[in-house]
Coordinates of all heavy atoms in Angstrom, one line a residue:
Chain B
V1137 N -19.8 4.4 -25.2 CA -20.3 3.0 -25.4 C -20.7 2.5 -24.0 O -19.9 2.6 -23.0 CB -19.1 2.1 -25.9 CG1 -19.6 0.6 -26.0 CG2 -18.6 2.6 -27.2
L1138 N -22.0 2.2 -23.8 CA -22.5 1.8 -22.5 C -22.8 0.3 -22.5 O -23.8 -0.1 -23.2 CB -23.7 2.6 -22.2 CG -23.5 4.1 -22.2 CD1 -24.7 4.9 -22.5 CD2 -22.9 4.6 -20.9
D1139 N -22.0 -0.5 -21.9 CA -22.2 -1.9 -22.0 C -23.0 -2.5 -20.9 O -22.6 -2.6 -19.7 CB -20.8 -2.6 -21.9 CG -20.8 -4.1 -22.3 OD1 -22.0 -4.6 -22.6 OD2 -19.8 -4.7 -22.4
E1140 N -24.3 -2.8 -21.2 CA -25.2 -3.3 -20.2 C -25.3 -2.5 -19.0 O -25.3 -3.1 -17.9 CB -24.9 -4.8 -19.9 CG -24.9 -5.6 -21.2 CD -25.5 -7.0 -21.1 OE1 -26.2 -7.2 -20.1 OE2 -25.4 -7.7 -22.0
T1141 N -25.4 -1.2 -19.1 CA -25.5 -0.4 -18.0 C -26.8 -0.6 -17.2 O -27.0 -0.2 -16.1 CB -25.3 1.1 -18.4 OG1 -24.0 1.2 -19.1 CG2 -25.3 2.1 -17.3
D1142 N -27.7 -1.2 -17.9 CA -29.1 -1.4 -17.4 C -29.2 -2.8 -16.6 O -30.1 -3.0 -15.9 CB -30.1 -1.4 -18.5 CG -29.8 -2.4 -19.6 OD1 -28.7 -2.8 -19.7 OD2 -30.8 -2.8 -20.3
S1143 N -28.2 -3.7 -16.8 CA -28.4 -5.0 -16.2 C -28.2 -4.9 -14.6 O -27.4 -4.2 -14.2 CB -27.6 -6.0 -16.8 OG -26.2 -5.7 -16.6
G1144 N -28.9 -5.7 -13.9 CA -28.8 -5.8 -12.5 C -29.4 -4.6 -11.7 O -29.1 -4.4 -10.6
L1145 N -30.2 -3.8 -12.4 CA -30.8 -2.7 -11.7 C -32.3 -2.9 -11.5 O -33.0 -3.5 -12.3 CB -30.7 -1.4 -12.6 CG -29.3 -0.9 -12.9 CD1 -29.3 0.3 -13.8 CD2 -28.5 -0.7 -11.7
D1146 N -32.7 -2.5 -10.3 CA -34.2 -2.6 -10.1 C -34.8 -1.4 -10.8 O -34.1 -0.5 -11.3 CB -34.6 -2.6 -8.6 CG -34.1 -1.3 -7.9 OD1 -34.2 -0.2 -8.4 OD2 -33.7 -1.5 -6.7
I1147 N -36.1 -1.3 -10.8 CA -36.8 -0.4 -11.7 C -36.5 1.1 -11.4 O -36.3 1.9 -12.2 CB -38.3 -0.7 -11.8 CG1 -39.0 0.0 -13.0 CG2 -39.0 -0.4 -10.5 CD1 -38.6 -0.5 -14.3
D1148 N -36.4 1.4 -10.0 CA -36.0 2.8 -9.6 C -34.6 3.2 -10.1 O -34.4 4.2 -10.6 CB -36.2 2.9 -8.1 CG -37.6 2.8 -7.7 OD1 -38.5 3.1 -8.5 OD2 -37.9 2.4 -6.5
A1149 N -33.7 2.2 -9.8 CA -32.3 2.5 -10.2 C -32.2 2.6 -11.7 O -31.5 3.5 -12.2 CB -31.4 1.4 -9.7
L1150 N -33.0 1.8 -12.4 CA -32.9 1.9 -13.9 C -33.4 3.2 -14.4 O -32.7 3.8 -15.2 CB -33.9 0.8 -14.4 CG -33.9 0.7 -16.0 CD1 -32.6 0.2 -16.5 CD2 -35.1 -0.1 -16.4
R1151 N -34.4 3.8 -13.7 CA -34.9 5.1 -14.1 C -33.9 6.2 -13.9 O -33.6 7.0 -14.7 CB -36.2 5.4 -13.4 CG -37.0 6.5 -14.1 CD -38.4 6.7 -13.4 NE -38.4 6.3 -12.0 CZ -38.0 7.1 -11.0 NH1 -37.6 8.3 -11.2 NH2 -37.9 6.7 -9.8
I1152 N -33.3 6.1 -12.7 CA -32.3 7.1 -12.3 C -31.1 7.0 -13.3 O -30.6 8.1 -13.8 CB -31.8 6.9 -10.9 CG1 -32.9 7.2 -9.9 CG2 -30.6 7.7 -10.6 CD1 -32.7 6.7 -8.5
V1153 N -30.6 5.8 -13.6 CA -29.5 5.6 -14.5 C -29.8 6.1 -15.9 O -29.1 6.8 -16.5 CB -29.0 4.2 -14.5 CG1 -28.0 3.9 -15.6 CG2 -28.3 3.9 -13.1
A1154 N -31.0 5.7 -16.3 CA -31.4 6.1 -17.7 C -31.6 7.6 -17.8 O -31.1 8.2 -18.8 CB -32.8 5.4 -18.0
E1155 N -32.2 8.2 -16.8 CA -32.3 9.7 -16.8 C -30.9 10.4 -16.8 O -30.7 11.4 -17.5 CB -33.1 10.2 -15.6 CG -34.6 10.0 -15.9 CD -35.5 10.2 -14.6 OE1 -34.9 10.6 -13.6 OE2 -36.7 10.0 -14.7
G1156 N -30.0 9.7 -16.0 CA -28.6 10.2 -16.0 C -28.0 10.2 -17.4 O -27.4 11.1 -17.8
I1157 N -28.2 9.1 -18.1 CA -27.6 8.9 -19.4 C -28.2 10.0 -20.3 O -27.5 10.7 -21.1 CB -27.9 7.5 -20.0 CG1 -27.2 6.4 -19.2 CG2 -27.5 7.4 -21.5 CD1 -27.6 5.0 -19.6
N1158 N -29.5 10.2 -20.2 CA -30.1 11.3 -21.0 C -29.5 12.7 -20.8 O -29.3 13.4 -21.7 CB -31.6 11.3 -20.9 CG -32.3 10.1 -21.5 OD1 -31.7 9.6 -22.5 ND2 -33.4 9.7 -21.0
K1159 N -29.4 13.0 -19.5 CA -28.9 14.3 -19.1 C -27.4 14.5 -19.5 O -27.0 15.5 -20.0 CB -29.0 14.5 -17.6 CG -30.4 14.9 -17.2 CD -30.4 15.2 -15.7 CE -31.8 14.9 -15.2 NZ -31.8 14.6 -13.8
V1160 N -26.7 13.4 -19.4 CA -25.2 13.5 -19.7 C -25.0 13.5 -21.2 O -24.0 14.1 -21.7 CB -24.5 12.3 -19.1 CG1 -23.1 12.1 -19.6 CG2 -24.5 12.4 -17.5
S1161 N -25.9 12.8 -22.0 CA -25.7 12.8 -23.4 C -26.2 14.1 -24.0 O -27.5 14.2 -24.2 CB -26.4 11.6 -24.1 OG -26.3 10.5 -23.3
G1162 N -25.4 15.0 -24.3 CA -25.8 16.3 -24.9 C -26.0 16.1 -26.4 O -25.9 15.0 -26.9
P1163 N -26.3 17.2 -27.1 CA -26.4 17.2 -28.5 C -25.1 16.8 -29.2 O -25.2 16.4 -30.4 CB -26.8 18.6 -28.9 CG -26.4 19.4 -27.7 CD -26.5 18.6 -26.5
D1164 N -24.0 16.8 -28.5 CA -22.7 16.5 -29.1 C -22.3 15.0 -28.9 O -21.3 14.6 -29.4 CB -21.6 17.4 -28.6 CG -21.9 18.8 -28.9 OD1 -22.6 19.1 -29.9 OD2 -21.4 19.7 -28.2
T1165 N -23.1 14.3 -28.1 CA -22.7 13.0 -27.7 C -23.3 11.9 -28.6 O -24.5 11.9 -28.8 CB -23.1 12.6 -26.3 OG1 -22.9 13.7 -25.4 CG2 -22.3 11.4 -25.7
G1166 N -22.5 11.1 -29.2 CA -23.0 9.9 -29.9 C -22.9 8.7 -28.9 O -21.9 8.6 -28.3
S1167 N -24.0 7.9 -28.9 CA -23.9 6.8 -27.9 C -24.3 5.5 -28.5 O -25.0 5.4 -29.5 CB -24.8 7.1 -26.7 OG -26.1 7.3 -27.1
L1168 N -23.6 4.5 -27.9 CA -23.9 3.1 -28.3 C -24.3 2.4 -27.1 O -23.5 2.1 -26.2 CB -22.7 2.5 -29.0 CG -22.9 1.0 -29.5 CD1 -23.9 0.9 -30.6 CD2 -21.6 0.4 -29.9
L1169 N -25.6 2.1 -26.9 CA -26.1 1.5 -25.7 C -26.3 0.0 -26.0 O -27.1 -0.4 -26.7 CB -27.5 2.2 -25.4 CG -28.2 1.7 -24.1 CD1 -27.4 2.2 -22.9 CD2 -29.6 2.3 -24.1
I1170 N -25.4 -0.7 -25.3 CA -25.5 -2.2 -25.4 C -26.4 -2.8 -24.4 O -26.3 -2.5 -23.2 CB -24.1 -2.8 -25.3 CG1 -23.1 -2.3 -26.3 CG2 -24.2 -4.3 -25.3 CD1 -21.7 -2.7 -26.2
T1171 N -27.4 -3.6 -24.8 CA -28.3 -4.2 -23.9 C -28.9 -5.4 -24.5 O -28.9 -5.6 -25.7 CB -29.5 -3.2 -23.6 OG1 -30.4 -3.8 -22.7 CG2 -30.2 -2.7 -24.8
H1172 N -29.4 -6.3 -23.7 CA -30.2 -7.3 -24.3 C -31.7 -7.3 -23.8 O -32.4 -8.2 -24.1 CB -29.6 -8.7 -24.4 CG -29.3 -9.4 -23.1 ND1 -28.1 -9.5 -22.5 CD2 -30.2 -10.0 -22.2 CE1 -28.2 -10.2 -21.4 NE2 -29.4 -10.4 -21.2
Y1173 N -32.0 -6.3 -23.1 CA -33.4 -6.1 -22.7 C -33.9 -4.9 -23.4 O -33.2 -3.9 -23.5 CB -33.6 -6.0 -21.2 CG -33.1 -7.2 -20.5 CD1 -32.0 -7.0 -19.6 CD2 -33.7 -8.4 -20.5 CE1 -31.5 -8.1 -18.9 CE2 -33.3 -9.5 -19.8 CZ -32.2 -9.3 -19.0 OH -31.7 -10.4 -18.3
Q1174 N -35.2 -4.9 -23.6 CA -35.8 -3.7 -24.2 C -36.1 -2.6 -23.2 O -36.3 -1.4 -23.5 CB -37.1 -4.1 -24.9 CG -37.5 -3.2 -26.1 CD -38.9 -2.7 -25.9 OE1 -39.6 -3.2 -25.1 NE2 -39.2 -1.8 -26.8
R1175 N -36.2 -3.0 -21.9 CA -36.8 -2.1 -20.9 C -36.1 -0.7 -20.8 O -36.8 0.2 -20.6 CB -36.9 -2.8 -19.5 CG -35.6 -3.4 -19.0 CD -35.8 -4.0 -17.6 NE -34.5 -4.0 -17.0 CZ -34.3 -4.1 -15.7 NH1 -35.3 -4.2 -14.9 NH2 -33.1 -4.1 -15.2
I1176 N -34.8 -0.7 -20.9 CA -34.1 0.6 -20.8 C -34.5 1.5 -21.9 O -34.4 2.8 -21.8 CB -32.6 0.5 -20.6 CG1 -32.0 1.8 -20.1 CG2 -31.9 0.0 -21.9 CD1 -30.6 1.9 -19.8
L1177 N -34.9 0.9 -23.0 CA -35.2 1.7 -24.2 C -36.4 2.5 -24.1 O -36.7 3.4 -24.9 CB -35.2 0.8 -25.5 CG -33.9 0.0 -25.7 CD1 -34.0 -0.9 -26.9 CD2 -32.7 0.8 -25.8
K1178 N -37.2 2.2 -23.1 CA -38.4 3.1 -22.8 C -37.9 4.5 -22.3 O -38.6 5.4 -22.5 CB -39.2 2.5 -21.6 CG -40.0 1.2 -22.1 CD -41.1 0.9 -21.0 CE -41.6 -0.5 -21.2 NZ -40.8 -1.5 -20.4
Y1179 N -36.8 4.5 -21.6 CA -36.3 5.8 -21.1 C -35.3 6.4 -22.0 O -35.3 7.6 -22.2 CB -35.6 5.5 -19.7 CG -36.6 4.9 -18.7 CD1 -36.5 3.5 -18.5 CD2 -37.5 5.6 -18.0 CE1 -37.3 2.9 -17.6 CE2 -38.3 5.0 -17.1 CZ -38.2 3.6 -16.9 OH -39.1 3.1 -16.0
V1180 N -34.4 5.6 -22.6 CA -33.4 6.1 -23.5 C -33.8 5.8 -24.9 O -33.8 4.6 -25.3 CB -32.0 5.5 -23.2 CG1 -30.9 6.1 -24.1 CG2 -31.6 5.7 -21.7
K1181 N -34.3 6.8 -25.6 CA -34.9 6.5 -26.9 C -33.8 6.4 -28.0 O -33.3 7.5 -28.4 CB -35.9 7.5 -27.3 CG -37.1 7.6 -26.3 CD -38.3 6.8 -26.8 CE -39.4 6.9 -25.9 NZ -39.7 5.6 -25.2
P1182 N -33.5 5.3 -28.5 CA -32.5 5.2 -29.6 C -33.1 5.5 -30.9 O -34.3 5.2 -31.2 CB -32.0 3.8 -29.6 CG -33.1 3.0 -29.0 CD -34.0 3.9 -28.2
Q1183 N -32.4 6.2 -31.8 CA -32.9 6.4 -33.2 C -32.6 5.2 -34.0 O -33.2 4.9 -35.0 CB -32.2 7.6 -33.8 CG -32.6 8.9 -33.1 CD -31.3 9.7 -32.8 OE1 -30.5 9.3 -32.0 NE2 -31.1 10.8 -33.5
F1184 N -31.6 4.4 -33.6 CA -31.1 3.3 -34.4 C -31.0 2.1 -33.5 O -30.5 2.2 -32.4 CB -29.8 3.5 -35.1 CG -29.8 4.8 -35.9 CD1 -29.3 6.0 -35.3 CD2 -30.2 4.9 -37.2 CE1 -29.3 7.2 -36.1 CE2 -30.2 6.1 -37.9 CZ -29.8 7.2 -37.4
V1185 N -31.4 0.9 -34.0 CA -31.2 -0.3 -33.3 C -30.5 -1.3 -34.2 O -30.9 -1.5 -35.3 CB -32.6 -0.9 -32.8 CG1 -32.5 -2.2 -32.1 CG2 -33.3 0.1 -31.9
H1186 N -29.5 -2.0 -33.6 CA -28.8 -3.0 -34.3 C -28.8 -4.3 -33.6 O -28.8 -4.3 -32.3 CB -27.3 -2.6 -34.5 CG -27.1 -1.2 -35.0 ND1 -27.2 -0.8 -36.3 CD2 -27.0 0.0 -34.3 CE1 -27.0 0.5 -36.4 NE2 -26.9 1.0 -35.2
V1187 N -28.8 -5.4 -34.3 CA -28.8 -6.7 -33.7 C -27.5 -7.4 -34.0 O -27.1 -7.5 -35.2 CB -30.0 -7.5 -34.1 CG1 -29.9 -8.9 -33.4 CG2 -31.3 -6.8 -33.8
M1188 N -26.8 -7.9 -33.0 CA -25.6 -8.6 -33.2 C -25.8 -10.1 -33.0 O -26.5 -10.5 -32.0 CB -24.5 -8.0 -32.2 CG -23.1 -8.6 -32.5 SD -21.9 -7.6 -31.6 CE -20.7 -7.4 -32.8
H1189 N -25.1 -10.8 -33.8 CA -25.2 -12.3 -33.6 C -23.9 -12.9 -34.2 O -23.5 -12.6 -35.3 CB -26.4 -12.8 -34.4 CG -26.6 -14.3 -34.2 ND1 -26.7 -14.9 -33.0 CD2 -26.7 -15.3 -35.1 CE1 -26.8 -16.2 -33.2 NE2 -26.9 -16.5 -34.5
Q1190 N -23.3 -13.7 -33.4 CA -22.1 -14.4 -33.8 C -21.0 -13.5 -34.4 O -20.5 -13.7 -35.5 CB -22.4 -15.5 -34.8 CG -23.3 -16.6 -34.1 CD -23.5 -17.8 -34.9 OE1 -23.4 -17.7 -36.2 NE2 -23.9 -18.9 -34.3
G1191 N -20.8 -12.3 -33.8 CA -19.8 -11.4 -34.2 C -20.0 -10.5 -35.3 O -19.1 -9.9 -35.9
R1192 N -21.3 -10.5 -35.7 CA -21.7 -9.6 -36.9 C -23.0 -8.8 -36.5 O -23.8 -9.3 -35.8 CB -22.0 -10.4 -38.1 CG -20.7 -10.8 -38.9 CD -21.1 -11.3 -40.3 NE -20.0 -12.1 -40.8 CZ -19.9 -13.4 -40.7 NH1 -20.9 -14.1 -40.1 NH2 -18.9 -14.0 -41.2
I1193 N -23.2 -7.7 -37.1 CA -24.5 -7.0 -37.0 C -25.3 -7.6 -38.1 O -25.0 -7.4 -39.3 CB -24.3 -5.5 -37.1 CG1 -23.6 -5.0 -35.8 CG2 -25.7 -4.8 -37.3 CD1 -23.3 -3.6 -35.8
I1194 N -26.4 -8.3 -37.7 CA -27.2 -9.0 -38.7 C -28.4 -8.2 -39.1 O -29.1 -8.6 -40.1 CB -27.5 -10.4 -38.3 CG1 -28.3 -10.4 -36.9 CG2 -26.3 -11.3 -38.2 CD1 -28.9 -11.7 -36.6
Q1195 N -28.8 -7.2 -38.4 CA -30.0 -6.5 -38.7 C -29.9 -5.1 -38.1 O -29.5 -4.9 -37.0 CB -31.2 -7.2 -38.2 CG -32.5 -6.5 -38.5 CD -33.3 -7.3 -39.6 OE1 -33.1 -8.5 -39.8 NE2 -34.1 -6.6 -40.3
S1196 N -30.3 -4.1 -38.9 CA -30.4 -2.7 -38.3 C -31.7 -2.1 -38.7 O -32.3 -2.5 -39.7 CB -29.3 -1.8 -38.9 OG -28.0 -2.3 -38.5
G1197 N -32.2 -1.2 -37.8 CA -33.5 -0.6 -38.1 C -33.7 0.5 -37.1 O -32.8 1.0 -36.5
G1198 N -35.0 0.9 -37.1 CA -35.4 2.0 -36.1 C -35.8 1.4 -34.8 O -35.6 0.2 -34.6
E1199 N -36.5 2.2 -34.0 CA -36.9 1.8 -32.7 C -37.8 0.6 -32.7 O -37.8 -0.2 -31.8 CB -37.6 3.0 -32.0 CG -37.2 3.1 -30.5 CD -38.2 3.9 -29.8 OE1 -38.6 5.0 -30.3 OE2 -38.6 3.5 -28.7

Side-chain angles (χ1 to χ4, degrees):
Chain B
V1137 178
L1138 303 153
D1139 192 0
E1140 302 221 11
T1141 303
D1142 56 337
S1143 63
L1145 298 181
D1146 62 38
I1147 195 72
D1148 291 333
L1150 181 71
R1151 199 175 28 85
I1152 291 164
V1153 166
E1155 280 168 6
I1157 294 172
N1158 287 333
K1159 280 185 209 152
V1160 168
S1161 323
D1164 299 334
T1165 320
S1167 61
L1168 181 65
L1169 183 70
I1170 298 176
T1171 177
H1172 64 253
Y1173 301 112
Q1174 205 235 350
R1175 54 177 203 162
I1176 194 172
L1177 305 180
K1178 288 195 194 90
Y1179 303 97
V1180 183
K1181 298 264 183 248
Q1183 295 129 292
F1184 307 95
V1185 175
H1186 311 276
V1187 181
M1188 189 168 224
H1189 182 56
Q1190 295 186 341
R1192 280 194 196 93
I1193 289 176
I1194 55 165
Q1195 181 106 25
S1196 295
E1199 219 199 319

